[in-house]
Amino acid sequence: MIELNHTHDVGARSWVASANVAGSDFPIQNLPYAMFRRTGSPEPFRGGVAIGDQVLDLAALAAGSHVDGLALDAARAAALPALNDFFALGPPAWQALRHAVFALLHSDAPAATADDLRGCLVPQAEVEYTVPARIGDYTDFYTSIDHALNISRLMNPDGDVTPNFRWVPTAYHGRVSTIGVSGQRFHRPMGQAMAPGAKAPTYQACARLDYELELGVWIGQGNAQGEAIPLARAEDHIFGICLLNDWSARDIQFWEMAPLGPFLAKNFATTISPWIVTMEALAPYRQAWTRPANEPQPLAYLESPANREGGALDIRLEVWLESEKARAQKTGPSRLSGTSFKHQYWSIAQMVAHHTVGGCSLNPGDLFGSGTISGPGEGEAGAIIELTRAAQTPVTLANGETRGFLEDGDAVLLRGWCEKPGHARIGFGESRGTVLPARG
């Protein structure tokens, strides 16, 4: 795991003034990556680094004279229209570029350097984003025991998770073509559903549309087919983390998931945040990964001292909903829930190790969904089906509207950040997606 270094110094400041504003998602201690261009322009998409309310254009940086050696190689790779080649360079190159950018944006940088680099900055208000890498494969995990128990107990108050949940990080392979970046708008999906007591299903628009609060885990360097990634080295293969909304058509899902996993219920849209927060930036917010003593402990290939000592990440997360009415009246979104990723039953390193143990190869730019993130307390549900007990107890929005499931026009916003005494607050930006009426 990455050790703390000068880039985590809580006292560090940038000559970009907006990076020093309290509550900013993007202080100099963060420096996340995205793929951007000026809104509506014919420019190619290229990599950028967030600093305050600006984007540092990595193509412009690479064309100048402020970085050299491995950092320059990394900047040139990150300046391409997708981050795959940059991911493939591995941890030494990722760190070289991050440390070079940190030095260039630091308040101690020479005035001439700062003046030069101002020409490499583009206001975030003037840019648009795209999916940051060519995603070859997408795997969505199921790793929150609180979420799994909440779902099980909707059907049986004394229900429990399936026996394998406590032994193995469960997942399914999802659809890449409908993964979109924040701002994604999609039509309510069509599919088959079986009403309670009915003898035959109907083909209809989804009536029980849901969101799922997740994180996206971006794979950096891959592995050769047949060569498992051991748990001790799993995080060397993870570049960073974003927000991810795994939209779910619950009525379609419950009918089609017998006996196989999700299909149409999950393949119509997945919304990610544009910014990828690096594992190095997240280093201060690690916590011990624990497993209750009265529960099964991981098998040997999913167990290590390092994972026990710091495998959990305290990433604070919130879900907000903005209805069409609230948007028209400009009254703002309503907060639905909040939790932390530290509660997850399996760590991201365990997800990587288990994914490869059977011989599967991962590639730069592959994406994992963490699975719905729910916590153990009241108001920590990561999906509306949990929050409302499948619409039995609808939530009330700030403007008085109620929701059991999502309605047309609803926008769901995911937000995330990390904070800890003695360290800077860093954020993930936002994942926002909007439901449009069905086309059927």
Side-chain angles (χ1 to χ4, degrees):
M1 293 182 182
I2 298 168
E3 295 186 0
L4 300 187
N5 56 55
H6 66 286
T7 67
H8 303 113
D9 177 12
V10 68
R13 294 292 181 269
S14 174
W15 51 261
V16 180
S18 59
N20 306 321
V21 175
S24 169
D25 273 355
F26 307 125
I28 196 169
Q29 294 86 354
N30 194 350
L31 305 179
Y33 290 81
M35 192 59 52
F36 84 101
R37 69 181 178 191
R38 289 177 176 82
T39 303
S41 76
E43 298 173 347
F45 281 101
R46 67 272 194 193
V49 171
I51 181 70
D53 61 3
Q54 304 289 308
V55 182
L56 176 66
D57 185 338
L58 292 175
L61 179 67
S65 58
H66 293 290
V67 290
D68 56 18
L70 188 56
L72 178 58
D73 293 340
R76 286 171 173 165
L80 298 173
L83 292 175
N84 299 68
D85 289 357
F86 174 50
F87 290 169
L89 292 176
W94 307 340
Q95 186 172 78
L97 181 56
R98 184 170 184 274
H99 287 206
V101 169
F102 182 89
L104 292 170
L105 294 175
H106 197 281
S107 57
D108 289 344
T113 298
D115 288 342
D116 239 11
L117 287 178
R118 290 182 202 281
C120 298
L121 296 178
V122 183
Q124 290 178 25
E126 298 176 11
V127 309
E128 60 186 354
Y129 304 99
T130 191
V131 175
R134 296 181 305 276
I135 305 171
D137 285 293
Y138 166 53
T139 303
D140 193 25
F141 281 83
Y142 185 52
T143 59
S144 166
I145 195 165
D146 297 297
H147 171 68
L149 285 170
N150 288 340
I151 295 299
S152 176
R153 289 168 183 170
L154 284 175
M155 296 169 279
N156 176 3
D158 299 319
D160 196 4
V161 298
T162 56
N164 65 343
F165 188 95
R166 290 181 168 90
W167 289 101
V168 59
T170 305
Y172 70 92
H173 291 282
R175 184 75 180 168
V176 171
S177 63
T178 47
I179 296 176
V181 77
S182 184
Q184 183 178 29
R185 296 161 63 84
F186 63 91
H187 293 273
R188 181 178 294 270
M190 302 292 295
Q192 286 191 25
M194 176 73 90
K199 294 183 178 180
T202 57
Y203 173 71
Q204 62 185 51
C206 168
R208 296 189 148 207
L209 187 61
D210 201 354
Y211 58 82
E212 288 189 350
L213 169 64
E214 301 194 22
L215 292 176
V217 179
W218 288 96
I219 297 300
Q221 287 185 312
N223 62 300
Q225 184 177 353
E227 294 183 6
I229 297 173
L231 183 65
R233 295 207 306 270
E235 289 199 12
D236 292 342
H237 295 262
I238 301 172
F239 175 74
I241 293 177
C242 69
L243 305 172
L244 185 150
N245 188 339
D246 177 31
W247 303 94
S248 301
R250 298 301 187 190
D251 45 355
I252 297 170
Q253 180 182 1
F254 292 161
W255 172 235
E256 71 183 5
M257 280 185 62
L260 299 181
F263 183 30
L264 300 189
K266 300 276 193 175
N267 70 3
F268 56 94
T270 303
T271 308
I272 60 174
S273 56
W275 294 105
I276 306 173
V277 178
T278 65
M279 294 304 293
E280 184 171 19
L282 291 168
Y285 313 101
R286 291 189 169 280
Q287 294 191 358
W289 178 89
T290 59
R291 178 63 58 83
N294 63 342
E295 299 206 359
Q297 301 305 300
L299 299 180
Y301 77 100
L302 294 174
E303 183 69 276
S304 75
N307 191 68
R308 288 278 181 174
E309 291 167 13
L313 285 164
D314 185 15
I315 300 174
R316 319 287 179 86
L317 298 158
E318 290 182 337
V319 181
W320 295 69
L321 189 150
E322 183 185 63
S323 68
E324 193 167 42
K325 180 179 178 182
R327 194 156 51 251
Q329 295 177 343
K330 295 181 168 51
T331 55
S334 300
R335 184 183 182 276
L336 298 185
S337 66
T339 188
S340 171
F341 187 60
K342 68 182 181 182
H343 301 302
Q344 216 72 352
Y345 200 75
W346 296 100
S347 72
I348 56 175
Q350 288 169 321
M351 296 179 206
V352 170
H354 181 69
H355 201 305
T356 64
V357 74
C360 178
S361 58
L362 302 177
N363 294 294
D366 283 355
L367 180 66
F368 290 1
S370 65
T372 305
I373 303 164
S374 297
E378 188 73 22
E380 291 193 71
I384 205 167
I385 191 172
E386 299 172 68
L387 201 63
T388 67
R389 293 192 51 78
Q392 296 176 57
T393 56
V395 293
T396 301
L397 307 183
N399 63 2
E401 293 181 88
T402 60
R403 289 291 185 275
F405 287 96
L406 299 178
E407 297 185 7
D408 293 346
D410 285 349
V412 175
L413 294 70
L414 308 183
R415 295 172 179 165
W417 73 97
C418 298
E419 58 183 332
K420 178 183 177 181
H423 292 279
R425 177 195 184 279
I426 65 172
F428 287 73
E430 181 179 274
S431 168
R432 179 189 182 104
T434 304
V435 182
L436 303 177
R439 281 178 165 157

